[in-house]
Amino acid sequence: MQVAVGLADAGGLESLSMRKLAQELGVEAMSLYYHVKNKDDLIDGMVDVVFSEIVLPSPGEDWKTAMRERAESARAVLARHPWAIALMRSTPGAATLRHLDATIGCLRTAGFSPAMAGHAMSLLDSYVDGFALQEAALPLDEAGGITEATEDVLAQQQMMSHAFPNLAEIAAAYILQPGYAFGNEFRFGLQVILDGIEAAHAAKEG
């Protein structure tokens, strides 16, 4: 599975085939079917490998700290494996189930009801997946900024007689400032979500 993951990382999921994987492994393509039923089964196993890289909550760890570490870890993992972003909710394997069970256990130990634990996980996972998808699509530079793309927008705006003044304002006052990185938006949003979950949990369970 690790070899298949490496191929997908290098060329995208569309570049992966059973024949190419067999060549990388130095075996006949048909021999792969002793281990997986088909390409879909292979992809399910690859997603399970990706899930195994995400940090698991530690026993007794504060739920808010654990969920923050889990979210940040998941974002980093998906940045390494962008092909997996849209597939993370596919057929779960052993590592996926272990990960979900540990996450639920952390929340339940913290006093979350089953419903509230489900709400928290759904909200956090939707945010992480959505941010990772957006991050993968943006033309980020090595520092995580979007200076070049923003400067292009500003140049177009100037030629269009300041048609987009609000966009120009936020670009000049925020995005083009030294030290800006799109990744910082993730931490801001994650904090807002965690605080919201904490408030909802206190109101519901208090």
Side-chain angles (χ1 to χ4, degrees):
M1 288 298 174
Q2 290 287 359
V3 174
V5 169
L7 288 173
D9 290 345
L13 200 60
E14 64 278 0
S15 70
L16 178 66
S17 68
M18 300 297 276
R19 184 178 300 277
K20 188 172 183 179
L21 177 58
Q23 289 175 344
E24 285 291 318
L25 293 170
V27 299
E28 293 294 328
M30 289 304 297
S31 67
L32 295 178
Y33 293 98
Y34 289 106
H35 305 282
V36 293
K37 298 175 183 176
N38 48 43
K39 187 175 178 180
D40 288 341
D41 192 32
L42 172 66
I43 291 172
D44 286 342
M46 292 164 60
V47 171
D48 206 43
V49 169
V50 173
F51 249 109
S52 72
E53 296 180 14
I54 302 174
V55 169
L56 283 173
S58 301
E61 188 175 15
D62 169 70
W63 75 266
K64 207 170 180 181
T65 300
M67 294 305 108
R68 178 180 290 104
E69 291 175 348
R70 173 181 179 264
E72 291 176 345
S73 174
R75 176 195 165 211
V77 167
L78 292 176
R80 293 197 298 271
H81 311 296
W83 56 268
I85 296 172
L87 302 172
M88 294 298 280
R89 312 304 153 198
S90 60
T91 306
T96 303
L97 294 173
R98 182 166 56 252
H99 177 96
L100 296 175
D101 187 73
T103 304
I104 293 169
C106 176
L107 294 170
R108 293 286 287 129
T109 299
F112 281 63
S113 68
M116 188 59 69
H119 294 330
M121 287 183 63
S122 177
L123 181 57
L124 286 164
D125 289 351
S126 296
Y127 176 67
V128 172
D129 291 357
F131 194 94
L133 188 63
Q134 186 177 25
E135 198 166 32
L138 286 172
L140 301 178
D141 55 35
E142 292 184 0
I146 52 176
T147 302
E148 183 176 344
T150 305
E151 288 176 342
D152 288 343
V153 171
L154 286 176
Q156 293 175 26
Q157 179 187 337
Q158 291 168 359
M159 290 186 293
M160 297 172 65
S161 301
H162 305 290
F164 308 110
N166 297 310
L167 178 60
E169 179 187 33
I170 194 171
Y174 181 50
I175 297 174
L176 292 176
Q177 291 298 308
Y180 172 83
F182 180 71
N184 293 335
E185 307 296 351
F186 180 79
R187 299 179 185 89
F188 176 84
L190 180 60
Q191 187 61 51
V192 170
I193 289 172
L194 289 171
D195 289 346
I197 292 172
E198 184 176 44
H201 172 52
K204 190 75 174 179
E205 313 299 342

Short mmCIF file of all heavy atoms in Angstrom, two decimals, residues 65-108:
data_model
loop_
_atom_site.label_atom_id
_atom_site.label_comp_id
_atom_site.label_asym_id
_atom_site.label_seq_id
_atom_site.Cartn_x
_atom_site.Cartn_y
_atom_site.Cartn_z
N THR A 65 -7.49 20.12 23.42
CA THR A 65 -6.11 19.97 22.95
C THR A 65 -6.01 18.82 21.95
O THR A 65 -5.36 18.94 20.91
CB THR A 65 -5.17 19.71 24.13
OG1 THR A 65 -5.23 20.81 25.04
CG2 THR A 65 -3.74 19.51 23.66
N ALA A 66 -6.67 17.71 22.27
CA ALA A 66 -6.63 16.54 21.40
C ALA A 66 -7.27 16.82 20.04
O ALA A 66 -6.73 16.42 19.00
CB ALA A 66 -7.36 15.37 22.07
N MET A 67 -8.39 17.53 20.03
CA MET A 67 -9.06 17.83 18.76
C MET A 67 -8.26 18.83 17.94
O MET A 67 -8.23 18.75 16.71
CB MET A 67 -10.47 18.36 19.02
CG MET A 67 -11.44 17.36 19.63
SD MET A 67 -11.61 15.81 18.70
CE MET A 67 -10.75 14.66 19.80
N ARG A 68 -7.58 19.75 18.61
CA ARG A 68 -6.73 20.70 17.88
C ARG A 68 -5.56 19.97 17.24
O ARG A 68 -5.25 20.18 16.05
CB ARG A 68 -6.22 21.79 18.82
CG ARG A 68 -5.29 22.80 18.12
CD ARG A 68 -4.77 23.87 19.04
NE ARG A 68 -5.82 24.80 19.46
CZ ARG A 68 -6.41 24.80 20.64
NH1 ARG A 68 -6.04 23.93 21.57
NH2 ARG A 68 -7.36 25.66 20.93
N GLU A 69 -4.90 19.09 18.01
CA GLU A 69 -3.76 18.35 17.48
C GLU A 69 -4.20 17.43 16.35
O GLU A 69 -3.49 17.29 15.34
CB GLU A 69 -3.11 17.54 18.60
CG GLU A 69 -2.40 18.41 19.64
CD GLU A 69 -1.88 17.60 20.81
OE1 GLU A 69 -2.26 16.40 20.93
OE2 GLU A 69 -1.11 18.15 21.61
N ARG A 70 -5.36 16.81 16.51
CA ARG A 70 -5.88 15.93 15.46
C ARG A 70 -6.15 16.70 14.18
O ARG A 70 -5.81 16.25 13.08
CB ARG A 70 -7.16 15.26 15.97
CG ARG A 70 -7.91 14.43 14.93
CD ARG A 70 -9.16 13.83 15.54
NE ARG A 70 -9.92 13.06 14.57
CZ ARG A 70 -10.96 13.54 13.88
NH1 ARG A 70 -11.35 14.80 14.05
NH2 ARG A 70 -11.60 12.78 13.02
N ALA A 71 -6.78 17.87 14.30
CA ALA A 71 -7.11 18.68 13.13
C ALA A 71 -5.85 19.17 12.43
O ALA A 71 -5.75 19.12 11.19
CB ALA A 71 -7.98 19.86 13.54
N GLU A 72 -4.88 19.64 13.20
CA GLU A 72 -3.64 20.13 12.61
C GLU A 72 -2.87 18.99 11.94
O GLU A 72 -2.27 19.17 10.87
CB GLU A 72 -2.79 20.81 13.68
CG GLU A 72 -3.39 22.14 14.17
CD GLU A 72 -2.61 22.76 15.31
OE1 GLU A 72 -1.78 22.03 15.91
OE2 GLU A 72 -2.83 23.95 15.60
N SER A 73 -2.89 17.82 12.58
CA SER A 73 -2.23 16.66 12.00
C SER A 73 -2.91 16.24 10.70
O SER A 73 -2.24 15.94 9.70
CB SER A 73 -2.24 15.50 13.00
OG SER A 73 -1.72 14.31 12.41
N ALA A 74 -4.23 16.21 10.70
CA ALA A 74 -4.98 15.82 9.51
C ALA A 74 -4.71 16.77 8.35
O ALA A 74 -4.53 16.35 7.20
CB ALA A 74 -6.48 15.78 9.81
N ARG A 75 -4.65 18.05 8.65
CA ARG A 75 -4.34 19.03 7.60
C ARG A 75 -2.96 18.78 7.01
O ARG A 75 -2.77 18.82 5.78
CB ARG A 75 -4.42 20.44 8.18
CG ARG A 75 -4.03 21.52 7.18
CD ARG A 75 -3.76 22.83 7.87
NE ARG A 75 -3.06 23.76 7.00
CZ ARG A 75 -2.20 24.68 7.40
NH1 ARG A 75 -1.92 24.79 8.68
NH2 ARG A 75 -1.61 25.48 6.55
N ALA A 76 -1.97 18.51 7.86
CA ALA A 76 -0.61 18.25 7.38
C ALA A 76 -0.57 16.97 6.55
O ALA A 76 0.11 16.90 5.52
CB ALA A 76 0.34 18.15 8.57
N VAL A 77 -1.28 15.95 6.99
CA VAL A 77 -1.31 14.67 6.26
C VAL A 77 -1.96 14.86 4.89
O VAL A 77 -1.45 14.35 3.88
CB VAL A 77 -2.07 13.60 7.08
CG1 VAL A 77 -2.38 12.38 6.23
CG2 VAL A 77 -1.25 13.20 8.31
N LEU A 78 -3.05 15.59 4.84
CA LEU A 78 -3.73 15.80 3.56
C LEU A 78 -2.91 16.68 2.63
O LEU A 78 -3.02 16.57 1.41
CB LEU A 78 -5.11 16.41 3.80
CG LEU A 78 -6.12 15.48 4.48
CD1 LEU A 78 -7.42 16.20 4.76
CD2 LEU A 78 -6.36 14.24 3.63
N ALA A 79 -2.07 17.54 3.17
CA ALA A 79 -1.16 18.33 2.33
C ALA A 79 -0.14 17.42 1.66
O ALA A 79 0.30 17.68 0.54
CB ALA A 79 -0.46 19.40 3.17
N ARG A 80 0.25 16.35 2.36
CA ARG A 80 1.19 15.38 1.77
C ARG A 80 0.51 14.47 0.76
O ARG A 80 1.14 13.98 -0.17
CB ARG A 80 1.82 14.51 2.88
CG ARG A 80 2.74 15.26 3.82
CD ARG A 80 3.62 14.30 4.60
NE ARG A 80 2.88 13.38 5.46
CZ ARG A 80 2.55 13.65 6.72
NH1 ARG A 80 2.88 14.82 7.26
NH2 ARG A 80 1.90 12.76 7.45
N HIS A 81 -0.79 14.24 0.97
CA HIS A 81 -1.54 13.31 0.12
C HIS A 81 -2.82 13.99 -0.40
O HIS A 81 -3.93 13.57 -0.06
CB HIS A 81 -1.93 12.06 0.92
CG HIS A 81 -0.81 11.44 1.69
ND1 HIS A 81 0.31 10.88 1.08
CD2 HIS A 81 -0.62 11.28 3.03
CE1 HIS A 81 1.12 10.39 2.02
NE2 HIS A 81 0.58 10.63 3.20
N PRO A 82 -2.70 15.03 -1.22
CA PRO A 82 -3.89 15.77 -1.64
C PRO A 82 -4.90 14.94 -2.43
O PRO A 82 -6.10 15.27 -2.43
CB PRO A 82 -3.31 16.90 -2.50
CG PRO A 82 -1.94 16.44 -2.89
CD PRO A 82 -1.45 15.61 -1.76
N TRP A 83 -4.48 13.88 -3.06
CA TRP A 83 -5.39 13.01 -3.80
C TRP A 83 -6.41 12.35 -2.87
O TRP A 83 -7.49 11.93 -3.32
CB TRP A 83 -4.61 11.91 -4.52
CG TRP A 83 -3.73 11.10 -3.60
CD1 TRP A 83 -2.42 11.32 -3.29
CD2 TRP A 83 -4.12 9.96 -2.82
NE1 TRP A 83 -1.96 10.41 -2.39
CE2 TRP A 83 -2.98 9.56 -2.08
CE3 TRP A 83 -5.30 9.24 -2.68
CZ2 TRP A 83 -3.00 8.47 -1.21
CZ3 TRP A 83 -5.33 8.16 -1.81
CH2 TRP A 83 -4.18 7.78 -1.09
N ALA A 84 -6.09 12.28 -1.58
CA ALA A 84 -6.95 11.57 -0.62
C ALA A 84 -8.05 12.45 -0.03
O ALA A 84 -8.95 11.93 0.64
CB ALA A 84 -6.11 10.98 0.51
N ILE A 85 -7.99 13.75 -0.26
CA ILE A 85 -8.92 14.67 0.41
C ILE A 85 -10.37 14.28 0.17
O ILE A 85 -11.18 14.22 1.11
CB ILE A 85 -8.68 16.12 -0.04
CG1 ILE A 85 -7.29 16.59 0.37
CG2 ILE A 85 -9.73 17.06 0.56
CD1 ILE A 85 -6.89 17.93 -0.21
N ALA A 86 -10.71 14.00 -1.07
CA ALA A 86 -12.10 13.70 -1.41
C ALA A 86 -12.49 12.26 -1.08
O ALA A 86 -13.66 11.88 -1.26
CB ALA A 86 -12.34 13.97 -2.89
N LEU A 87 -11.55 11.46 -0.59
CA LEU A 87 -11.80 10.04 -0.38
C LEU A 87 -11.80 9.63 1.08
O LEU A 87 -12.00 8.46 1.40
CB LEU A 87 -10.74 9.22 -1.11
CG LEU A 87 -10.63 9.44 -2.62
CD1 LEU A 87 -9.40 8.71 -3.15
CD2 LEU A 87 -11.88 8.94 -3.33
N MET A 88 -11.59 10.58 1.99
CA MET A 88 -11.40 10.24 3.39
C MET A 88 -12.63 9.63 4.06
O MET A 88 -12.53 9.05 5.13
CB MET A 88 -10.92 11.45 4.17
CG MET A 88 -9.54 11.94 3.76
SD MET A 88 -8.25 10.72 4.05
CE MET A 88 -7.95 10.95 5.80
N ARG A 89 -13.79 9.78 3.45
CA ARG A 89 -15.00 9.20 4.04
C ARG A 89 -15.44 7.97 3.26
O ARG A 89 -16.60 7.57 3.31
CB ARG A 89 -16.14 10.23 4.06
CG ARG A 89 -15.74 11.59 4.61
CD ARG A 89 -15.14 11.53 6.00
NE ARG A 89 -14.23 12.65 6.22
CZ ARG A 89 -13.32 12.70 7.17
NH1 ARG A 89 -13.19 11.69 8.00
NH2 ARG A 89 -12.53 13.74 7.30
N SER A 90 -14.52 7.35 2.52
CA SER A 90 -14.85 6.15 1.76
C SER A 90 -14.87 4.94 2.69
O SER A 90 -14.81 5.07 3.91
CB SER A 90 -13.84 5.96 0.63
OG SER A 90 -12.53 5.81 1.14
N THR A 91 -14.92 3.75 2.13
CA THR A 91 -15.02 2.53 2.92
C THR A 91 -13.91 2.47 3.96
O THR A 91 -12.72 2.45 3.62
CB THR A 91 -14.91 1.30 2.00
OG1 THR A 91 -15.88 1.41 0.96
CG2 THR A 91 -15.16 0.03 2.79
N PRO A 92 -14.25 2.46 5.24
CA PRO A 92 -13.23 2.52 6.29
C PRO A 92 -12.49 1.20 6.49
O PRO A 92 -13.08 0.13 6.47
CB PRO A 92 -14.03 2.90 7.54
CG PRO A 92 -15.40 2.34 7.29
CD PRO A 92 -15.62 2.48 5.81
N GLY A 93 -11.18 1.30 6.69
CA GLY A 93 -10.37 0.14 7.03
C GLY A 93 -10.06 0.13 8.51
O GLY A 93 -10.60 0.93 9.29
N ALA A 94 -9.16 -0.76 8.91
CA ALA A 94 -8.86 -0.94 10.34
C ALA A 94 -8.28 0.33 10.95
O ALA A 94 -8.68 0.73 12.07
CB ALA A 94 -7.89 -2.10 10.51
N ALA A 95 -7.36 0.99 10.27
CA ALA A 95 -6.75 2.20 10.82
C ALA A 95 -7.76 3.33 10.92
O ALA A 95 -7.76 4.10 11.90
CB ALA A 95 -5.57 2.65 9.94
N THR A 96 -8.63 3.42 9.93
CA THR A 96 -9.68 4.45 9.95
C THR A 96 -10.62 4.24 11.13
O THR A 96 -10.95 5.17 11.86
CB THR A 96 -10.49 4.43 8.63
OG1 THR A 96 -9.59 4.60 7.54
CG2 THR A 96 -11.53 5.52 8.61
N LEU A 97 -11.06 3.00 11.31
CA LEU A 97 -11.98 2.69 12.41
C LEU A 97 -11.32 2.92 13.77
O LEU A 97 -11.95 3.43 14.70
CB LEU A 97 -12.46 1.24 12.29
CG LEU A 97 -13.34 0.94 11.07
CD1 LEU A 97 -13.60 -0.56 10.96
CD2 LEU A 97 -14.66 1.71 11.14
N ARG A 98 -10.04 2.56 13.87
CA ARG A 98 -9.31 2.79 15.12
C ARG A 98 -9.21 4.28 15.42
O ARG A 98 -9.38 4.72 16.56
CB ARG A 98 -7.92 2.16 15.02
CG ARG A 98 -7.08 2.29 16.28
CD ARG A 98 -5.87 1.38 16.23
NE ARG A 98 -5.04 1.61 15.06
CZ ARG A 98 -4.95 0.78 14.02
NH1 ARG A 98 -5.65 -0.35 14.01
NH2 ARG A 98 -4.16 1.06 13.00
N HIS A 99 -8.96 5.06 14.38
CA HIS A 99 -8.86 6.51 14.53
C HIS A 99 -10.19 7.11 14.98
O HIS A 99 -10.24 7.91 15.93
CB HIS A 99 -8.44 7.13 13.20
CG HIS A 99 -8.37 8.61 13.22
ND1 HIS A 99 -7.20 9.30 13.45
CD2 HIS A 99 -9.34 9.56 13.08
CE1 HIS A 99 -7.46 10.60 13.44
NE2 HIS A 99 -8.74 10.78 13.20
N LEU A 100 -11.26 6.72 14.32
CA LEU A 100 -12.58 7.26 14.67
C LEU A 100 -12.98 6.84 16.08
O LEU A 100 -13.54 7.64 16.85
CB LEU A 100 -13.62 6.79 13.66
CG LEU A 100 -13.41 7.28 12.21
CD1 LEU A 100 -14.44 6.64 11.28
CD2 LEU A 100 -13.50 8.81 12.14
N ASP A 101 -12.69 5.60 16.42
CA ASP A 101 -13.06 5.10 17.75
C ASP A 101 -12.31 5.86 18.84
O ASP A 101 -12.89 6.23 19.88
CB ASP A 101 -12.75 3.61 17.84
CG ASP A 101 -13.26 2.99 19.13
OD1 ASP A 101 -14.49 2.82 19.26
OD2 ASP A 101 -12.43 2.70 20.02
N ALA A 102 -11.02 6.13 18.62
CA ALA A 102 -10.23 6.86 19.62
C ALA A 102 -10.72 8.30 19.76
O ALA A 102 -10.75 8.85 20.87
CB ALA A 102 -8.75 6.84 19.22
N THR A 103 -11.11 8.90 18.65
CA THR A 103 -11.61 10.28 18.69
C THR A 103 -12.92 10.35 19.45
O THR A 103 -13.12 11.22 20.31
CB THR A 103 -11.80 10.82 17.27
OG1 THR A 103 -10.55 10.71 16.56
CG2 THR A 103 -12.23 12.27 17.29
N ILE A 104 -13.82 9.43 19.15
CA ILE A 104 -15.10 9.39 19.87
C ILE A 104 -14.85 9.12 21.35
O ILE A 104 -15.47 9.74 22.23
CB ILE A 104 -16.01 8.29 19.28
CG1 ILE A 104 -16.43 8.67 17.85
CG2 ILE A 104 -17.26 8.09 20.15
CD1 ILE A 104 -17.10 7.54 17.09
N GLY A 105 -13.94 8.20 21.64
CA GLY A 105 -13.64 7.88 23.04
C GLY A 105 -13.13 9.09 23.81
O GLY A 105 -13.50 9.29 24.98
N CYS A 106 -12.31 9.91 23.18
CA CYS A 106 -11.80 11.13 23.82
C CYS A 106 -12.95 12.07 24.18
O CYS A 106 -13.01 12.61 25.29
CB CYS A 106 -10.80 11.81 22.90
SG CYS A 106 -10.17 13.38 23.51
N LEU A 107 -13.86 12.24 23.24
CA LEU A 107 -14.98 13.15 23.47
C LEU A 107 -15.95 12.59 24.50
O LEU A 107 -16.46 13.32 25.35
CB LEU A 107 -15.71 13.42 22.15
CG LEU A 107 -14.89 14.20 21.10
CD1 LEU A 107 -15.61 14.19 19.75
CD2 LEU A 107 -14.65 15.63 21.57
N ARG A 108 -16.19 11.30 24.45
CA ARG A 108 -17.11 10.68 25.41
C ARG A 108 -16.52 10.74 26.83
O ARG A 108 -17.25 10.99 27.79
CB ARG A 108 -17.39 9.23 25.01
CG ARG A 108 -18.17 9.09 23.73
CD ARG A 108 -19.65 9.44 23.90
NE ARG A 108 -20.34 8.39 24.63
CZ ARG A 108 -21.11 8.59 25.70
NH1 ARG A 108 -21.27 9.82 26.19
NH2 ARG A 108 -21.72 7.58 26.29
#
